[in-house]
Amino acid sequence: MTLSAASIDTASTDAAPVTLALDTATPFLTLALAWPGGVRIWSAEVGRAHAERVAGAVAELFEEAGLPLRAERIVIGTGPGSYTGVRVGASYALGLARVWGAEVVGVPTLEGLVRGPDGVKLSGGVAVSLDARRGNVYGAVYRLEAGGVAEVLHAPEKQSMEDFQSRAVGLPHFHDGAPSGEALLRAGLAHGRTDWALAYL
């Protein structure tokens, strides 16, 4: 389990003073919480135990931040991922949103895989992918600015690893890592969509 503070530009949170981000599409449970006073990030490898862990982890995150359990915006990683894993996060987020009166915005989980070495904000083209079995991957290519996704060069899609590698030749490639709570939060604040749909591996 990891619980840490992070540095992120919180100027864009003015419209939603408290924002919770969560992703359950991979074997990791990834959370992030932003408010005008700071950012907290939580991540743990939970296998298939997302449903059992997410509520307690969210409560812990708010407690560590010294905040009441309530957010004005929720960012959800929309996959691709396992059917059960992706739906756990979406169902939980929609349940919280109904209770809190919060807006829910979605971003592809692949955007959460965009991460440089600790403290390094990458710029330029990057490729990200998740294993889709049988020699396939679910991959995308993005252009980054200061560590955030500025442009989608190739939208997320399922394809053979060989085809994806030829598309991503010469680019940094992030494959099957743990999603970054900070990257997910940054993407949600920058361009999260209210008309999101879930994607499955």
Side-chain angles (χ1 to χ4, degrees), residues 18-21 31-35 38-41 61-62 65 67 71 185:
V18 180
T19 301
L20 172 68
L31 305 173
L33 180 65
W35 70 102
V39 173
R40 290 275 179 183
I41 294 169
L61 191 65
F62 277 85
L67 297 174
L185 183 63

Side-chain angles (χ1 to χ4, degrees), residues 124-135:
V126 299
V128 292
S129 64
L130 291 168
D131 181 21
R133 299 178 293 278
R134 298 183 181 178

Side-chain angles (χ1 to χ4, degrees), residues 109-116 122 126 128 142 144 147-149 174 180 183:
T109 294
L110 291 172
E111 292 197 30
L113 299 181
V114 173
R115 57 195 309 172
L122 299 177
V126 299
V128 292
Y142 299 113
L144 306 185
V149 173
F174 302 97
S180 161

Side-chain angles (χ1 to χ4, degrees), residues 39-158:
V39 173
R40 290 275 179 183
I41 294 169
W42 190 100
S43 180
E45 187 169 5
V46 300
R48 299 182 179 181
H50 299 93
E52 293 85 351
R53 299 288 301 278
V54 64
V58 167
E60 179 181 343
L61 191 65
F62 277 85
E63 182 178 350
E64 289 287 335
L67 297 174
L69 187 61
R70 184 181 181 87
E72 283 71 41
R73 177 184 293 166
I74 302 171
V75 178
I76 179 71
T78 59
S82 72
Y83 180 84
T84 301
V86 172
R87 292 184 71 84
V88 163
S91 298
Y92 182 70
L94 291 171
L96 287 180
R98 179 169 297 205
V99 173
W100 293 345
E103 175 186 47
V104 180
V105 298
V107 294
T109 294
L110 291 172
E111 292 197 30
L113 299 181
V114 173
R115 57 195 309 172
D118 289 344
V120 176
K121 290 184 168 47
L122 299 177
S123 292
V126 299
V128 292
S129 64
L130 291 168
D131 181 21
R133 299 178 293 278
R134 298 183 181 178
N136 296 312
V137 296
Y138 210 113
V141 179
Y142 299 113
R143 180 177 62 82
L144 306 185
E145 289 182 1
V149 173
E151 182 181 3
V152 179
L153 301 178
H154 294 285
E157 67 173 321
K158 187 175 181 178

